[in-house]
Amino acid sequence: RPPMETRPERNGGAFLIDRAAEMDGPYVAVVGQAGGGEGGRVGATNIGRLRQGKAARGGANVTSWHLRVFAVVVGVMGCLLLAASLVMSALHQVQFRNGAISVNFRGLQELKQNFVRKEQSEQIMHERLLQMATLATSKNESDSGNFALWEEPYKQARKWTPCAAKYTLEEEPSEDNNGFILVSANGGLNQQRVAVCNAVVVAALLNATLVLPRFLHSSVWKDKSQFGDIYQEDYFVNYMKGDVLIVKDLPSHLQSLDLEAIGSQITDNDISKEAEPSEFIRTALPVLQKNGVVHFLGFGNRLGFDSVPADLQRLRCRCNFHALKFAPEIQKLGSLLVQRLRGVSAMQTEMDTQLFGSNMLDRPFGDKSTDDAGGPSRYLALHLRFEEDMVAYSLCEFGGGDEERRELQAFRETHFPALVARLRNTTVSPEELRSQGRCPLTPEEAGLILAALGYVRGTFIYVAGSQIYGGATRLRPLTRLYPNLVTKEDILSSDELAPLKNFSSRVSALDFIACASSDVFAVTDSGSQLSSLVSGHRVYHGRGRAPTLHPNRKRYAQILSEEAGIEWAGFQKRVRTMVDEYKRVRARPRGRTVYRQPRTPGCMCRADDDGSVDF
């Protein structure tokens, strides 16, 4: 039978509503009052008569009522889900287009996760400076449009232009050569990128064919991605074909060989770090000529810089700055990331063209009417190299006391047993390491530099890097100064990031892209391959308009050691002088990598005032 619904009344009775009658028309809605007395009997009599008149149609009415209710419920739920999706999408776009982050928004995923947990104390090492910096960043809001903070200060930087794309080797490579070079590169995305370009140079040096490099699976990186998962294979092979022959696999007659057994495997122990070309000719060439193949295993930083001739140095730059293009999937997602950071719907720079090519997205927000008249919003990219492995390997201390020491020692014993073995009979002074500039900067120390340089509290900052050691406790001093911190996980949805999940090298490529495309890039660790490669890309493709902030950690440690007696004005002056030193435009000094400093013969050219071009 159709369901009956009762509604309580003040007299303790109830109105009975017959749903089936209600659906037949408005002429019967309230059929009586149930309860004690005459009213109840009248109500019951009326109900009985009504049911007798409806008996023949009862079954049909029940079915019709159920179907209608089901349809209404489904429709309402669908509308609610659609409305929620549209609202969330709109909020997401407005939030990042306008850089408007609410007071409670912390930016970094780890801070969000800790927001619902019990409040943790801040891990602060420089309380006095932090208090002065907090006051300074708030006062500086009136200087938020200060272009000096966002521009390259030295116009000489614009006189240097890319040159590596213009030249190839004098002689075309021939298939009639000494054999095949096989490289299995270790490390993460950026270490592997360096290994690939060094392999190109070694193949040309030894007059050999390069097999597309393989990437080793690391227990630290835990990523099985290979070359074609990260870069465009065909583009790489075709771009370099005028310099080095590159094939995707060894010939079948060599694939079955046990390269280690026949003596064709050369490890990092067999080649000096940053070796001269002559060492490769002396060590690898005889093996190559004898067996037709050489396998370099590891190949971490095995080729030097100063002794490499200009024509081979040029190959490094052609490889790194031109031939290695990220896979289309990474390019498209990186384009979306950068456009949301900028809050505009079009790419605008030479860097964009190099990073995204034909895979730039024109309208990331799906809104053809988006008004970009206000111009792009600026953002600063900060590479915080303060992951647990970095902190543990440094052997420094960061104010966490005995608990921190035990935790980092346990990590070293698990992940760096060779380091632990070397330290058994050695005493290491964390204070001395810090004074030598060998300790990574904490998030707090990075924030103090930005505050001293004049970046205001509202500065929009993209944070690159993995999980910060110490989590929210370590990050809170930085978010106190700069609450508008975001990561790729904040800007891209979980669905958008899903294809890269569990592939750390591909995810790192997004950090590379966001840092290279930023208005200002702030480095905290000179030894980081990401910082090195991104800095070099900004010099090479930035056209003198891509400033990089690079502190001298040794000098900075000296400044911090005097914080008890230093006032904010003095701290500002010393920090600005320190950072300004790195910004000075000069050719690559001896011993420095061309990946970070490409202003060198074979890589970049300099236009003099008279119009002539050097290099």
Side-chain angles (χ1 to χ4, degrees):
R1 298 190 311 179
M4 308 297 291
E5 177 181 276
T6 62
R7 185 171 69 246
E9 294 286 62
R10 281 176 292 182
N11 63 0
F15 278 87
L16 301 181
I17 302 176
D18 189 322
R19 293 293 191 189
E22 190 177 46
M23 294 182 68
D24 276 350
Y27 57 87
V28 193
V30 179
V31 296
Q33 184 179 20
E38 186 65 26
R41 289 192 294 274
V42 173
T45 301
N46 289 339
I47 292 171
R49 290 174 180 173
L50 178 64
R51 285 176 176 161
Q52 290 175 2
K54 304 295 182 178
R57 292 177 296 171
N61 286 336
V62 173
T63 303
S64 174
W65 179 82
H66 279 111
L67 290 175
R68 292 184 188 184
V69 170
F70 178 75
V72 170
V73 171
V74 171
V76 171
M77 291 180 65
C79 291
L80 290 174
L81 289 173
L82 178 60
S85 176
L86 290 173
V87 169
M88 292 301 294
S89 177
L91 287 174
H92 190 266
Q93 293 172 14
V94 169
Q95 185 180 55
F96 292 110
R97 278 186 59 79
N98 300 330
I101 301 178
S102 69
V103 175
N104 292 328
F105 181 73
R106 298 291 187 142
L108 297 174
Q109 290 296 314
E110 187 156 350
L111 283 181
K112 291 179 182 177
Q113 294 165 6
N114 279 277
F115 186 73
V116 297
R117 300 175 187 171
K118 183 179 179 180
E119 187 71 14
Q120 301 179 26
S121 61
E122 295 177 317
Q123 184 72 55
I124 297 175
M125 297 178 65
H126 311 283
E127 178 65 43
R128 182 171 175 271
L129 283 174
L130 187 61
Q131 290 178 353
M132 292 189 290
T134 301
L135 182 62
T137 53
S138 299
K139 285 184 176 180
N140 287 341
E141 286 294 341
S142 59
D143 297 328
S144 58
N146 185 355
F147 287 101
L149 298 173
W150 301 92
E151 289 187 337
E152 186 75 54
Y154 297 103
K155 297 190 182 301
Q156 298 97 311
R158 300 179 186 178
K159 295 182 178 181
W160 290 83
T161 58
C163 285
K166 299 179 182 180
Y167 305 98
T168 58
L169 295 178
E170 295 180 0
E171 296 183 8
E172 291 286 326
S174 171
E175 294 184 5
D176 184 18
N177 55 29
N178 290 322
F180 294 85
I181 298 293
L182 185 65
V183 171
S184 295
N186 58 16
L189 171 77
N190 302 293
Q191 293 92 330
Q192 291 166 348
R193 186 183 185 103
V194 170
V196 169
C197 293
N198 286 345
V200 167
V201 175
V202 171
L205 175 69
L206 301 181
N207 187 27
T209 297
L210 177 65
V211 179
L212 209 62
R214 307 290 197 270
F215 296 156
L216 297 174
H217 180 260
S218 167
S219 60
V220 176
W221 289 88
K222 299 178 181 177
D223 188 346
K224 296 182 180 179
S225 298
Q226 288 301 318
F227 190 98
D229 299 314
I230 302 172
Y231 302 108
Q232 298 177 34
E233 289 184 351
D234 292 338
Y235 186 92
F236 176 70
V237 172
N238 291 329
Y239 193 93
M240 300 302 303
K241 66 182 181 181
D243 306 294
V244 176
L245 290 180
I246 303 175
V247 296
K248 295 184 179 181
D249 295 292
L250 279 173
S252 56
H253 70 279
L254 294 177
Q255 292 181 11
S256 60
L257 294 178
D258 185 336
L259 299 183
E260 183 177 6
I262 65 174
S264 281
Q265 181 167 288
I266 298 178
T267 70
D268 284 355
N269 292 328
D270 303 316
I271 297 287
S272 305
K273 184 177 181 180
E274 297 188 1
E276 295 185 359
S278 59
E279 186 171 344
F280 282 89
I281 294 174
R282 184 173 62 253
T283 303
L285 184 57
V287 177
L288 180 65
Q289 292 173 329
K290 176 183 177 182
N291 298 330
V293 58
V294 166
H295 179 204
F296 290 102
L297 181 62
F299 208 59
N301 295 321
R302 291 303 127 186
L303 181 63
F305 297 97
D306 297 333
S307 58
V308 176
D311 59 337
L312 294 180
Q313 203 79 279
R314 182 179 295 121
L315 291 188
R316 268 180 163 150
C317 294
R318 284 176 60 77
C319 170
N320 184 44
F321 300 119
H322 295 282
L324 286 177
K325 303 294 185 185
F326 288 120
E329 177 185 54
I330 295 174
Q331 286 183 324
K332 291 176 182 177
L333 196 55
S335 173
L336 182 63
L337 172 63
V338 170
Q339 290 180 23
R340 283 182 179 167
L341 280 167
R342 290 178 179 165
V344 296
S345 59
M347 299 280 95
Q348 300 180 351
T349 67
E350 169 69 16
M351 184 72 72
D352 299 331
T353 302
Q354 293 297 327
L355 289 173
F356 308 122
S358 62
N359 288 307
M360 288 190 292
L361 301 180
D362 291 331
R363 293 284 173 180
F365 308 118
D367 181 5
K368 299 290 185 181
S369 62
T370 299
D371 182 12
D372 297 328
S377 61
R378 295 189 293 259
Y379 75 95
L380 180 148
L382 172 64
H383 183 211
L384 281 179
R385 192 69 173 93
F386 201 71
E387 299 91 344
E388 187 170 14
D389 61 332
M390 179 72 174
V391 172
Y393 197 84
S394 72
L395 303 177
C396 298
E397 294 182 357
F398 302 91
D402 291 338
E403 182 180 354
E404 176 189 286
R405 295 187 193 96
R406 288 193 297 269
E407 188 174 71
L408 294 179
Q409 181 60 22
F411 187 92
R412 283 190 285 266
E413 290 173 355
T414 301
H415 297 279
F416 305 124
L419 175 64
V420 173
R422 291 201 305 269
L423 294 173
R424 281 177 186 152
N425 298 318
T426 305
T427 300
V428 176
S429 168
E431 293 78 13
E432 184 176 349
L433 291 174
R434 185 169 297 279
S435 66
Q436 294 172 353
R438 296 170 63 181
C439 297
L441 300 186
T442 66
E444 174 191 1
E445 291 167 340
L448 290 174
I449 291 176
L450 297 180
L453 293 175
Y455 289 96
V456 300
R457 177 177 171 80
T459 301
F460 199 75
I461 299 178
Y462 176 88
V463 179
S466 302
Q467 294 294 322
I468 301 301
Y469 174 67
T473 304
R474 279 288 179 190
L475 283 165
R476 283 195 182 97
L478 177 58
T479 58
R480 185 201 294 189
L481 295 173
Y482 297 102
N484 291 351
L485 300 179
V486 295
T487 66
K488 53 189 171 292
E489 290 83 6
D490 296 314
I491 298 177
L492 299 172
S493 69
S494 56
D495 288 341
E496 289 166 337
L497 285 169
L500 307 187
K501 186 179 180 180
N502 300 324
F503 297 106
S504 59
S505 291
R506 299 182 220 181
V507 172
S508 295
L510 297 180
D511 277 339
F512 184 104
I513 288 170
C515 291
S517 298
S518 64
D519 296 276
V520 174
F521 177 49
V523 177
T524 61
D525 174 33
S526 59
S528 163
Q529 288 283 17
L530 172 66
S531 295
S532 178
L533 289 168
V534 168
S535 298
H537 266 73
R538 293 172 65 81
V539 170
Y540 191 86
H541 290 302
R543 304 292 181 180
R545 294 178 173 84
T548 296
L549 309 178
H550 194 292
N552 182 311
R553 288 191 299 182
K554 184 175 181 178
R555 289 178 62 181
Y556 190 40
Q558 178 64 34
I559 297 172
L560 292 176
S561 70
E562 302 171 15
E563 68 171 295
I566 194 171
E567 296 302 323
W568 183 249
F571 180 76
Q572 269 190 314
K573 181 178 180 180
R574 293 176 68 177
V575 168
R576 292 181 180 187
T577 301
M578 171 189 69
V579 172
D580 186 65
E581 282 296 320
Y582 181 83
K583 288 185 176 181
R584 296 187 183 278
V585 180
R586 57 176 70 90
R588 180 186 69 88
R590 286 187 60 82
R592 301 301 176 89
T593 165
V594 297
Y595 299 115
R596 180 190 292 274
Q597 298 181 338
R599 297 186 184 108
T600 192
C603 206
M604 297 188 75
C605 301
R606 181 181 62 204
D608 293 331
D609 293 333
D610 60 3
S612 61
V613 177
D614 292 340
F615 298 164

